[in-house]
Amino acid sequence: MNQKIENLSKKLVEKNIKPSFQRIKVLEYLTTKRNHPTVDEIFNELVIEIPTLSKATVYNTLDLLMESKLARIVTIEENETRYDADVTNHGHFKCDLCGVIYDFPVNIDDLSTDSLKNFKINEKNVYFQGICPKCLDNIDNNKDKNKGK
Amino acid sequence: MNQKIENLSKKLVEKNIKPSFQRIKVLEYLTTKRNHPTVDEIFNELVIEIPTLSKATVYNTLDLLMESKLARIVTIEENETRYDADVTNHGHFKCDLCGVIYDFPVNIDDLSTDSLKNFKINEKNVYFQGICPKCLDNIDNNKDKNKGK
DNA sequence: TTTTAAATTTATAATGATTATAAATTTATT
DNA sequence: AATAAATTTATAATCATTATAAATTTAAAA
């Protein structure tokens, strides 16, 4: 329990970010929830525990985490920016029906990108869209229901 | 010349979109410029030729093009949405220095995505960031200059 | 052709995420 | 304890996007 706080604190200190309570809580939210949250989602949950919390602090903290590569933006086409503290190589899949964003392992380096040999590549993102198994099931079940009628 | 207009018009008609002058012009802008423009960039250029043009029309037209898969959003983390009329499989590379978005060929199906075998995949996006050759050159040249001093 | 209806475009207001600014608070330093 | 620096907070400003309704254009009917 306290062990976790200390780990998060250490992560911040390693990047020369002072581990304030607010910053630890934002990072904790990201790392434990792993739900690719919006600023609002982070704020609305944390403000319960930190009633004085300001949305500006959430924005500021996320900017800090981004700068030091402790978090990154989930690049999907949405009106609200979403964040991810998992900075290892993995893909994102957004279900067009329920909106949930799934992580999936993907070895991006499998892609041959000869045409970029003169480019310096710093980040690689893979993003798929479609329908998740849960929603596919729901569609099937509804079909069955209609059959019965 | 007129041939091009007719081709664009046909593309729209095929998708049951009435080929109004404004719609043809937006589609023409996207297909000829191929510059992943923002709504503002499209509007600012087209309003020269169509002084009565409204930004709402550009938004409406882009929504139509998206619905019928004649265009798609470039999924990169930016405050303004960017659009692309090239809906074939290809990746996007954004230079962090000059901001230019490059297309690059990529065979996304090379990626093994076993964990998504129960997902229905409708769209696949690949997005890289880094520094483009032009900007890399500029950096090198500046280094040389400083050496000379 | 004239009239009517439907579709499209336009102008404008509203929304809402993000950014900017400055004051208040907390933390660290002298 | 006093001062300075960093952080947080509250608030206002910005700006892309969406919503709404009026104006215009296009298509259809009489």
Side-chain angles (χ1 to χ4, degrees), chain A residues 12-51:
Chain A
L12 292 170
V13 171
E14 278 169 1
K15 300 286 187 174
N16 291 313
I17 300 172
K18 286 201 183 142
S20 72
F21 185 64
Q22 290 87 338
R23 288 169 178 172
I24 290 173
K25 281 298 169 182
V26 169
L27 184 56
E28 184 188 29
Y29 182 97
L30 284 174
T31 52
T32 59
K33 286 269 188 161
R34 304 183 143 272
N35 58 343
H36 319 93
T38 64
V39 168
D40 262 51
E41 286 169 350
I42 299 169
F43 174 79
N44 287 327
E45 175 141 335
L46 294 187
V47 78
I48 298 170
E49 195 181 351
I50 317 168

Side-chain angles (χ1 to χ4, degrees), chain A residues 56-69 83:
Chain A
T57 300
V58 180
Y59 276 103
N60 290 339
T61 301
L62 289 170
D63 285 347
L64 279 177
L65 297 180
M66 302 265 297
E67 272 175 42
S68 57
K69 310 267 184 191
Y83 297 86

